[in-house]
Amino acid sequence: MTTPDPSREPEPTKPAGTATTPYKDRVYRSPAGVVGGALVLAIVAWLGIDAVVVGEGRTPWLALATMLFLVPLVFAYTLRPAVFVNDDGLRVRNPLRLIVLPWGQVASLRSGFSNEVVDDSGTKYQLWALPVSVRARSKAARQDARAARAAARADARAGQGGSLRGGAVGAADLGAGAALAADGPRRAETDRAMDELRELHERRQGEPGTQGEVTVRWAYEIIVPAVAGAVLLGVLWGLG
């Protein structure tokens, strides 16, 4: 499940002419990815430090090289991904890139086997922080189907009059049907997040403060340590 949380990154300020006070981004992350990444990093650190402390010969160096290679990659693919949203656009922080897309440059937000944002040039950027969960979609569909059946039973009992016991059960069914009608079809968490992004995009894409260029920056703070670790591992294995 993916839920929004407050941003801890530096707060941007709105363009001149719109506001003079800072405002916070809304941030979407994957809680499962964060928890899983923290556990993997803890295991890597535990095994690596143990090998450095008690290992002999080349073992400590191999452990250090392995940690230098693995830790940045695990962090990049689990803890790093996030989508920062504000009135001006999106900042998509993927494992190895940071993409800034003003709303005026966003052509569409797509959901399929993955969630993607497409800019006006047709370039697609995957939203790693909003992974698609087929299981969550199936669960939401089953809940909708049960609510629809309950509403149908309530309608049937209302038409036939029903017994006292049947009337009590029908009232519960009617409540389920009313809830479905009021809230609409149930949606998986990431699908609801995409709906929110689409709604904000529709409202803001024509505003003056949402125009600009799409910028992409590579995460060299992740790439450089990982490459250095891989090279060091190759050298150590090559030396035998």
Side-chain angles (χ1 to χ4, degrees), residues 1-3 28-33 81 83 94 109-117 125-140 187-195 197-198:
M1 182 177 68
T2 305
T3 55
Y28 295 90
R29 300 179 189 272
S30 171
V83 176
N94 282 343
L109 291 143
R110 300 179 182 175
S111 296
F113 293 106
S114 64
N115 290 315
E116 300 172 337
V117 58
Y125 304 99
Q126 185 174 349
L127 303 179
W128 282 77
L130 296 174
V132 170
S133 173
V134 177
R135 180 180 180 184
R137 285 180 175 176
S138 299
K139 180 180 179 181
R187 304 272 283 165
E189 285 290 332
T190 53
D191 290 336
R192 288 203 297 268
M194 291 297 290
D195 291 341
L197 295 182
R198 292 187 186 100

Side-chain angles (χ1 to χ4, degrees), residues 76-164:
Y77 284 91
T78 58
L79 303 181
R80 174 181 164 84
V83 176
F84 300 84
V85 184
N86 57 42
D87 288 341
D88 298 331
L90 293 170
R91 281 186 293 137
V92 181
R93 196 170 68 187
N94 282 343
L96 301 179
R97 293 191 298 179
L98 176 66
I99 305 105
V100 179
L101 300 108
W103 286 124
Q105 293 293 323
V106 174
S108 63
L109 291 143
R110 300 179 182 175
S111 296
F113 293 106
S114 64
N115 290 315
E116 300 172 337
V117 58
V118 183
D119 66 16
D120 283 343
S121 67
T123 305
K124 301 177 183 178
Y125 304 99
Q126 185 174 349
L127 303 179
W128 282 77
L130 296 174
V132 170
S133 173
V134 177
R135 180 180 180 184
R137 285 180 175 176
S138 299
K139 180 180 179 181
R142 289 195 300 270
Q143 290 175 339
D144 279 342
R146 285 196 296 268
R149 289 195 296 269
R153 289 196 298 268
D155 290 341
R157 289 192 179 96
Q160 297 174 0
S163 63
L164 179 61

Side-chain angles (χ1 to χ4, degrees), residues 182-230:
D183 300 335
R186 289 174 174 82
R187 304 272 283 165
E189 285 290 332
T190 53
D191 290 336
R192 288 203 297 268
M194 291 297 290
D195 291 341
E196 293 173 3
L197 295 182
R198 292 187 186 100
E199 180 182 354
L200 185 56
H201 171 235
E202 290 176 1
R203 293 204 315 263
R204 298 292 301 170
Q205 62 179 333
E207 297 295 325
T210 64
Q211 309 306 310
E213 297 295 328
V214 177
T215 61
V216 179
R217 183 182 71 83
W218 287 95
Y220 293 106
E221 65 275 15
I222 300 292
I223 298 171
V224 171
V227 171

